[in-house]
Amino acid sequence: MDAFFIAADSALRTVFAQHHASRPTPQGADSGSAHGLSDAEKRESAALMRVNHVGEVCAQALYTAQALATRDPALRQHFLEASAEETDHLAWTEARLRELGDRTSWLNPLWYAGAFGIGFLAGKLGGDKVSLGFVVETEKQVEAHLQSHMTKLPANDSASRAIVSQMKADEIRHAQEAQHAGASELPEPVKEAMRLAAKVMTTVAHRI
């Protein structure tokens, strides 16, 4: 029952609350502002940061669902700690969106529900090793996605680039930790389905 209330609290906080980071925001030359960016550059940076924010909403949902699904107390704690660290990413991307004069996705409740369902089913039907395998594959895909954003963000938007760079480093570490915890390799069709779902999410979140 405690795990259920933790999951419900996490869902409400992730989707509706304003987030506060436990670590300082990564600093770029223009951190705290959007000066020096044209209107078109601001729109593009904001769209990319909105996509990144949605990715973190999904990460929160995935980790929270997996914590609820596992019977292993140590693994549950691992998922909850990873979820807490991802809160930094939510706070950083939200703050940058405000600086750019833009907003988070209107569809965040939908993104959260979908990712939560996937994480819970993976944990309940596949067990802990498959659940960890989802973490590894998710983080690898997010890492590649963030790397692509480094080529798409305006060259003079150092604030957004600094945030994305730190997020990328954190996701690499999360994947490594899940691998070391005993993750199993997911079948290629599952990986492809995850890539397709991510493509739909990023395309829609770029605009909505």
Side-chain angles (χ1 to χ4, degrees):
M1 186 61 69
D2 286 347
F4 173 79
F5 284 121
I6 290 172
D9 180 69
S10 176
L12 292 172
R13 288 178 182 275
T14 299
V15 175
F16 298 110
Q18 182 174 329
H19 298 92
H20 303 281
S22 61
R23 292 177 290 170
T25 303
Q27 296 295 298
D30 58 340
S31 291
S33 74
H35 296 316
L37 297 177
S38 67
D39 288 344
E41 288 173 332
K42 288 179 184 178
R43 286 193 298 272
E44 180 61 13
S45 287
L48 294 172
M49 295 307 283
R50 179 165 50 252
V51 169
N52 292 334
H53 182 269
V54 167
E56 298 308 319
V57 168
C58 292
Q60 287 281 345
L62 185 69
Y63 282 129
T64 302
Q66 290 169 315
L68 182 62
T70 185
R71 294 178 180 272
D72 184 339
L75 187 56
R76 179 179 297 114
Q77 187 60 32
H78 168 83
F79 285 135
L80 292 176
E81 288 174 359
S83 175
E85 188 169 88
E86 297 282 359
T87 301
D88 289 348
H89 300 176
L90 282 172
W92 296 342
T93 51
E94 283 174 7
R96 187 57 183 158
L97 279 165
R98 288 193 296 270
E99 291 164 3
L100 292 165
D102 218 304
R103 54 170 175 76
T104 58
S105 174
W106 290 328
L107 300 179
N108 277 340
L110 176 63
W111 305 133
Y112 189 98
F116 187 94
I118 291 171
F120 190 76
L121 285 175
K124 283 299 185 184
L125 300 181
D128 289 343
K129 290 185 180 297
V130 170
S131 188
L132 287 165
F134 266 90
V135 173
V136 172
E137 184 59 27
T138 297
E139 299 293 19
K140 284 182 177 178
Q141 291 188 20
V142 171
E143 175 199 344
H145 179 73
L146 292 171
Q147 181 58 43
S148 74
H149 279 197
M150 294 297 284
T151 67
K152 296 175 182 177
L153 283 165
N156 56 338
D157 186 358
S158 63
S160 296
R161 297 173 73 85
I163 291 170
V164 170
S165 179
Q166 183 58 56
M167 288 170 62
K168 179 172 174 283
D170 290 344
E171 308 304 1
I172 291 172
R173 178 166 48 79
H174 290 163
Q176 292 172 339
E177 290 172 350
Q179 194 74 64
H180 293 156
S184 61
E185 184 77 14
L186 297 183
E188 192 56 40
V190 174
K191 294 181 182 180
E192 187 57 37
M194 292 172 69
R195 284 190 282 268
L196 179 60
K199 179 65 174 177
V200 171
M201 181 271 288
T202 55
T203 300
V204 174
H206 195 273
R207 297 172 175 80
I208 301 176

